[in-house]
Amino acid sequence: MKTRRLFLQKASLSAMALAVPAFNPLSAMTNSMNIVSKDSEVLRVAIMGLGSYGTRVAEAIQDCNRVKLVGVISGTPSKVEDWKSTYNIPAKNCYDYDNFDAIKDNPDIDAVYVITPNALHKDQVIRVAKAGKHAICEKPMAISAEDGQAMVDACKTAGVHLLIGYRMHFEPNTLEVIRMRKDGELGEIRFFQGLCGFVIGDPTQWRLDRILSGGGAMMDIGIYAINGARYMIGEEPIWVTAQEVKTDSEKFKEGIDETITFQLGFPNGVIASCLSTYNMNNLDRFYLNGSNGWVEMQPSTGYGPIEGQTHAGPLTEPIVTHQTVQMDEMAAIIFEGKQPEVPVNGEEGVKDMKIIDAIFEAVKTGEKVALNLS
Ligand code: NAD
């Protein structure tokens, strides 16, 4: 009841915000893009992995119209205690990594958001599916396409949704560029450039441990350029070439890529040229070129604000908290079968994993690797 009351309060507040925008702060207005009807259901979510991004998602959920954080799964009892008091989570909705299969007997949790190190996603999502709960999983969905496909299959068998945390698929300036491209304002698309990177710190973190990460910068940040190339160009690549550079083989051990440049070839000769690195800061840039126009976004995939210029002027869509909008939209996908402009389902995640597998193969062999994403 409390969930529903809270939700209805938020719903009417957002309706007011939309009715009288002049009197409302930008954040209240822009985070309420999803107009929620009185009968909309609230998605009750448990977060698995209470680390840095899990905390960001938990905070963002507090502003959701139709998502509520109701549970946690963690191996650290002190974090569970903190989250119980911060987010008013009942003890009966708290689990650890050994006992969370029991979530199947908990009718108060609809979905589990897996926000743990990459290599753990596969088994955790499969267990969530077997417990009959919807799975939301962070990027990269797994550490190989084969593992990603096993997750898709398990969720299909269990009859639950599998959604990947592709927050950019709901970001307003990104969606505006996609609209421009679809409406032909850029003409025929010819070229995309995606540059993604940062200088990684602590050498002992899981991101630099191949067993937990499945790779280096590519799994973590290069995936934004891969995914961005696909949604910006609006086609699937048919081949890839790639080259690796390593300046510190002590920090970036075997299987952990430091810097990879890669090229994706699309049907009709469109090319994407991308860079993924753990060795350069301030690298978050997309550029799209068409026969009639262009778009330059920087930052293009950070937490925001996303900024950009086009041949027709600056991008001026509302600034949102990405994770708040993502979660409200995911509730609509789960409950109403809403089709997002760019998919966030498991199959979408597998396509990116196939490209990552092919990039690693291209680095190893020096060959052009063919892709079949259909
Ligand atoms: P983090 O290190 O801050 O948190 C990871 C959490 O997993 C910690 O709470 C840790 O205790 C827990 N964990 C469980 N089992 C573990 C194990 N065996 N070893 C290490 N930690 C274990 O990492 P993060 O930055 O929150 O990243 C988590 C996931 O979220 C990754 O898949 C990452 O790619 C993704 N992520 C996505 C975004 C985005 O913008 N979509 C941003 C950051 C991270």
Side-chain angles (χ1 to χ4, degrees):
M1 271 316 286
K2 197 179 164 217
T3 306
R4 184 156 178 81
R5 195 165 55 241
L6 188 78
F7 156 70
L8 287 172
Q9 282 168 2
K10 285 192 172 183
S12 54
L13 278 175
S14 40
M16 277 171 57
L18 285 163
V20 281
F23 297 106
N24 287 278
L26 184 66
S27 62
M29 195 172 70
T30 54
N31 282 334
S32 304
M33 294 167 69
N34 221 8
I35 303 173
V36 187
S37 84
K38 278 191 176 167
D39 295 327
S40 301
E41 281 176 85
V42 169
L43 184 69
R44 299 163 305 171
V45 173
I47 291 184
M48 181 186 298
L50 313 183
S52 142
Y53 197 63
T55 303
R56 184 178 287 273
V57 170
E59 284 300 311
I61 287 177
Q62 305 313 305
D63 291 327
C64 279
N65 288 325
R66 56 179 311 184
V67 177
K68 187 166 164 57
L69 174 62
V70 297
V72 292
I73 298 139
S74 169
T76 314
S78 59
K79 283 194 207 164
V80 174
E81 286 312 308
D82 283 353
W83 281 53
K84 271 164 74 179
S85 56
T86 306
Y87 301 112
N88 202 17
I89 292 169
K92 70 173 188 59
N93 289 354
C94 298
Y95 299 86
D96 61 34
Y97 293 108
D98 292 326
N99 69 15
F100 77 82
D101 308 275
I103 215 163
K104 74 175 186 307
D105 299 317
N106 190 331
D108 298 329
I109 294 173
D110 302 310
V112 175
Y113 196 158
V114 175
I115 316 184
T116 54
N118 311 338
L120 308 181
H121 295 174
K122 177 193 170 195
D123 287 349
Q124 289 168 342
V125 162
I126 291 174
R127 285 171 68 186
V128 167
K130 285 186 174 159
K133 304 298 179 183
H134 300 297
I136 303 172
C137 179
E138 256 320 308
K139 47 58 54 179
M141 73 182 295
I143 57 169
S144 70
E146 188 184 359
D147 285 1
Q149 190 57 50
M151 294 156 73
V152 168
D153 294 344
C155 290
K156 208 164 266 175
T157 302
V160 296
H161 282 270
L162 170 57
L163 304 176
I164 314 302
Y166 286 128
R167 57 187 165 75
M168 300 315 297
H169 293 199
F170 306 104
E171 194 283 316
N173 276 324
T174 303
L175 291 174
E176 170 59 8
V177 174
I178 292 169
R179 184 206 62 74
M180 289 173 74
R181 188 247 304 147
K182 282 188 169 173
D183 286 355
E185 292 173 22
L186 302 170
E188 213 173 89
I189 297 301
R190 302 257 162 91
F191 179 75
F192 170 82
Q193 183 188 45
L195 310 177
C196 299
F198 65 92
V199 174
I200 196 156
D202 178 10
T204 66
Q205 64 184 287
W206 68 261
R207 282 182 165 79
L208 298 175
D209 174 350
R210 192 180 59 82
I211 303 293
L212 285 170
S213 62
M218 184 61 63
M219 286 284 177
D220 192 24
I221 191 97
I223 192 170
Y224 285 98
I226 293 168
N227 192 249
R230 294 177 49 237
Y231 64 66
M232 285 292 180
I233 293 171
E235 291 181 351
E236 300 298 1
I238 52 175
W239 57 258
V240 56
T241 49
Q243 309 78 33
E244 179 171 13
V245 175
K246 205 173 267 198
T247 65
D248 184 345
S249 54
E250 186 52 38
K251 188 171 183 180
F252 305 103
K253 298 203 164 54
E254 180 69 27
I256 295 290
D257 50 284
E258 178 187 334
T259 299
I260 291 179
T261 51
F262 60 97
Q263 303 76 41
L264 299 170
F266 293 76
N268 302 320
V270 184
I271 300 283
S273 174
C274 303
L275 174 64
S276 157
T277 183
Y278 268 160
N279 191 28
M280 295 170 214
N281 273 334
N282 309 309
L283 206 60
D284 182 7
R285 181 176 188 274
F286 281 2
Y287 173 74
L288 185 65
N289 185 281
S291 54
N292 291 340
W294 53 270
V295 178
E296 200 169 36
M297 300 170 84
Q298 184 166 331
S300 55
T301 64
Y303 296 137
I306 299 302
E307 292 173 5
Q309 291 288 332
T310 80
H311 64 282
L315 292 167
T316 57
E317 295 304 308
I319 296 164
V320 301
T321 302
H322 299 176
Q323 298 81 5
T324 304
V325 177
Q326 171 202 316
M327 293 307 289
D328 271 339
E329 290 290 317
M330 285 184 167
I333 292 168
I334 288 172
F335 289 130
E336 285 103 48
K338 183 171 178 183
Q339 297 292 321
E341 189 62 41
V342 187
V344 289
N345 53 26
E347 288 83 352
E348 171 79 4
V350 171
K351 287 181 181 175
D352 287 340
M353 297 313 307
K354 281 184 177 172
I355 297 172
I356 292 180
D357 286 352
I359 288 172
F360 288 157
E361 189 187 334
V363 164
K364 208 155 100 186
T365 62
E367 302 287 327
K368 182 190 263 194
V369 177
L371 286 165
N372 181 3
L373 302 186
S374 53

